[in-house]
Amino acid sequence: MISHSVQKSHADTAKEALSADRSSILRSRAHAFCQALVSPPSPQELLSEFFIPDQSEGGGSRPTIHEHGPAWATKTLPFLGKTFAGGPACEEYFAVLGDTLKMYLHREDSFPGPEGFVVDEAQNRVCVVGKGRFESVRTGRSWDEQFAYVLSGWDGQGRKLGRWDIWADPLSAWAAVSEDDVDGWKKGENRS
């Protein structure tokens, strides 16, 4: 009886160690991904380094990006409310976003340290809240905001993510890209 308890205890300890190890890997990789966004490489490099490979043939896994927002805003913010699935579609997301907005993130304070990334190993996801300044390419209006990322669908090793969900401030983005004067928010002006 004692030997069975000891064996079970060792098995539980080993399982906990594997779980803690995977949790650490997920947290570390999510943190590295967010830090890469501060001074981003090309979309192809970012996808290659941090996302699962595109195996869309035969219904395989595909890298996916979805920035949540209302359907009424997609005419002026075409990156919102649409699921970009597969390597070429994810590259399109970055192109459409870059044609619309500039993103300014800072290594020191846009994201918390690794300890600020919440890992839900059972759901295979990592959540984090970040902050930055965004600017309309067309009008120069900018604003400061907080946003939330859910990074999920990690591969078996916890090194490559499958899906990036983004929740940001679509109303400020929509107002910033508007050609009209918005409640005294002039072109080229920053609002916090």
Side-chain angles (χ1 to χ4, degrees):
M1 197 72 147
I2 292 174
S3 121
H4 178 69
S5 297
V6 170
Q7 287 176 348
K8 185 175 181 185
S9 176
H10 284 278
D12 289 345
T13 302
K15 185 177 178 182
E16 287 172 12
L18 284 174
S19 177
D21 199 34
R22 179 166 172 80
S23 217
S24 295
I25 292 168
L26 289 173
R27 182 174 284 110
S28 173
R29 289 299 290 166
H31 183 259
F33 170 70
C34 289
Q35 289 300 306
L37 295 174
V38 171
S39 194
S42 72
Q44 298 85 1
E45 291 173 292
L46 192 70
L47 289 165
S48 173
E49 172 68 21
F50 293 102
F51 284 80
I52 59 173
D54 194 349
Q55 301 170 352
S56 58
E57 304 300 319
S61 58
R62 305 172 80 183
T64 303
I65 301 171
H66 187 93
E67 185 157 349
H68 297 264
W72 57 262
T74 58
K75 184 174 180 182
T76 54
L77 302 168
F79 54 88
L80 279 184
K82 176 181 175 186
T83 299
F84 294 84
C90 289
E91 289 178 29
E92 177 190 350
Y93 167 82
F94 289 111
V96 171
L97 177 65
D99 288 345
T100 310
L101 299 176
K102 293 178 187 177
M103 180 171 69
Y104 300 97
L105 302 176
H106 302 283
R107 190 161 306 283
E108 304 81 41
D109 68 352
S110 284
F111 296 100
E115 69 285 347
F117 285 68
V118 179
V119 176
D120 182 343
E121 196 175 338
Q123 295 296 314
N124 199 25
R125 67 180 164 215
V126 180
C127 304
V128 67
V129 174
K131 62 183 178 179
R133 187 168 58 87
F134 296 82
E135 179 182 317
S136 167
V137 169
R138 197 171 57 224
T139 68
R141 287 186 187 105
S142 62
W143 71 102
D144 300 316
E145 75 167 72
Q146 287 190 320
F147 48 86
Y149 291 166
V150 175
L151 308 169
S152 61
W154 293 87
D155 67 8
Q157 294 80 37
R159 301 200 181 280
K160 303 259 183 177
L161 68 110
R163 185 176 172 101
W164 178 22
D165 282 281
I166 304 152
W167 284 269
D169 180 0
L171 186 54
S172 289
W174 180 79
V177 301
S178 175
E179 286 298 325
D180 298 327
D181 195 20
V182 179
D183 192 33
W185 192 9
K186 299 187 181 352
K187 291 182 180 180
E189 189 175 79
N190 181 55
R191 284 221 171 144
S192 293

